[in-house]
Amino acid sequence: MIYAEKIYKSFGALSVLKGVDFSVKRSEVVAIIGSSGSGKSTLLRCLNNLEQIDSGNIAIENKWMVQNNKANKAVYVADQEIKMICSKMGMVFQHFNLFPHMTVLQNIIEAPMIVKKMQRSEIELLAQELLSKVGLSDKYNYYPSQLSGGQKQRVAIARALAMQPDIMLFDEPTSALDPELTGEVLKTMQKLVEDKMTMVIVTHEMGFAREVADTVLFMDSGVIVEAGPAKALFDNPQNLRTQEFLSSMFK
Ligand code: ADP
Ligand code: MG
């Protein structure tokens, strides 16, 4: 579903991704862990074209979005095609990013109506289904300011799902939440795992990652230092940096 090879990305003089190789199979759940500043968000943002890479190859569902030329410089396909490719991916951010002046329902139906040209009646039906899936059936007429952080994040998940993505990318979806609200969001994500959604999740929730992820990647300073099955990586990390990171998390 995702194939990324030799990804390099700098911001000016700051080299942030330094040769990341990474792939995700259909229905696989991949968790990315690592300390702040290691490049996790940048990697996700490169996958759905919120940032452009300097060098490397990325294919989504067997379609090349960007490939190196002979000089190892990344060359992107046409804009229209990039849009098509990225429309297969939904993304959920740490800070929800809901439209504050729109109700929950409007937040969910906006993009499908405009981008996918779906009929209002059709998308409203889907929105109701999704709200019920995330446990917020009764909140469709509320504004974001009337919701708790956990509720806002569940609306953000429903909004991403309304575009009917094949892949969901999550960037620390619970990091801005009080601990007592984290569980309801993780439970919603757990449901997506049960539905066999393909997911990439950047998270500091180690217990959740250990339980739901098939594969865990540990990133440090712009490289993937260690990757493996969740339980093996958490219980028996091979790399010294992974060991140090995990012991700092469980201190
Ligand atoms: P993480 O998500 O692992 O905390 P990030 O990918 O957000 O790490 O950031 C990696 C590094 O890239 C950090 O040093 C950050 O300051 C830098 N960075 C991220 N985005 C930008 C940007 N748009 N411009 C300049 N530097 C950035
Ligand atoms: Mg980040």
Side-chain angles (χ1 to χ4, degrees):
M1 297 291 273
I2 300 178
Y3 176 80
E5 188 185 34
K6 300 194 199 84
I7 306 301
Y8 288 81
K9 169 72 184 171
S10 300
F11 293 106
L14 180 69
S15 174
V16 174
L17 299 178
K18 305 171 192 165
V20 171
D21 292 323
F22 168 74
S23 66
V24 183
K25 297 192 193 76
R26 184 177 297 279
S27 296
E28 190 180 12
V29 178
V30 175
I32 303 178
I33 61 172
S35 42
S36 180
S38 56
K40 307 180 298 297
S41 295
T42 303
L43 176 58
L44 279 197
R45 294 169 61 81
C46 288
L47 292 177
N48 73 347
N49 200 45
L50 294 173
E51 300 285 353
Q52 297 217 320
I53 63 173
D54 305 320
S55 172
N57 306 299
I58 299 176
I60 306 294
E61 298 189 80
N62 296 318
K63 289 203 173 64
W64 289 112
M65 178 164 76
V66 51
Q67 279 187 285
N68 271 337
N69 64 13
K70 290 210 175 89
N72 276 333
K73 190 180 168 326
V75 180
Y76 279 80
V77 299
D79 280 353
Q80 199 57 32
E81 196 155 344
I82 295 178
K83 269 202 195 122
M84 271 277 291
I85 290 171
C86 289
S87 71
K88 309 285 184 171
M89 284 179 284
M91 183 146 172
V92 174
F93 302 88
Q94 183 174 346
H95 292 289
F96 330 129
N97 301 358
L98 296 176
F99 307 116
H101 59 291
M102 292 184 185
T103 64
V104 163
L105 187 67
Q106 288 165 338
N107 263 281
I108 295 175
I109 69 179
E110 177 80 359
M113 266 173 47
I114 292 176
V115 181
K116 289 199 147 181
K117 315 256 182 279
M118 281 175 77
Q119 292 298 314
R120 194 179 183 99
S121 54
E122 191 189 357
I123 179 60
E124 281 191 4
L125 209 65
L126 175 62
Q128 293 291 0
E129 266 171 46
L130 291 171
L131 279 173
S132 131
K133 187 186 210 84
V134 302
L136 293 173
S137 299
D138 52 337
K139 296 283 191 275
Y140 66 94
N141 247 343
Y142 282 50
Y143 284 89
S145 61
Q146 299 171 303
L147 301 175
S148 73
Q151 291 171 334
K152 281 186 222 177
Q153 192 59 299
R154 287 184 284 151
V155 172
I157 293 172
R159 182 178 60 173
L161 292 172
M163 290 294 282
Q164 297 170 291
D166 296 332
I167 301 167
M168 285 285 286
L169 309 175
F170 292 87
D171 192 0
E172 298 196 31
T174 61
S175 292
L177 300 178
D178 294 334
E180 71 268 24
L181 300 179
T182 296
E184 62 191 49
V185 172
L186 296 181
K187 213 177 282 167
T188 301
M189 293 167 67
Q190 171 94 44
K191 276 194 199 161
L192 299 184
V193 175
E194 286 159 16
D195 291 346
K196 304 268 179 248
M197 177 61 82
T198 306
M199 295 162 67
V200 182
I201 309 169
V202 173
T203 186
H204 292 298
E205 293 292 328
M206 298 298 146
F208 180 73
R210 188 181 190 284
E211 197 174 319
V212 307
D214 299 300
T215 306
V216 177
L217 311 178
F218 170 62
M219 267 187 92
D220 191 32
S221 305
V223 296
I224 292 175
V225 170
E226 185 164 350
K231 288 180 181 63
L233 190 129
F234 282 114
D235 296 345
N236 194 16
Q238 300 296 302
N239 186 284
L240 185 62
R241 281 191 278 173
T242 319
Q243 292 166 7
E244 283 170 357
F245 174 75
L246 288 176
S247 64
S248 77
M249 292 302 291
F250 289 111
K251 218 160 28 201

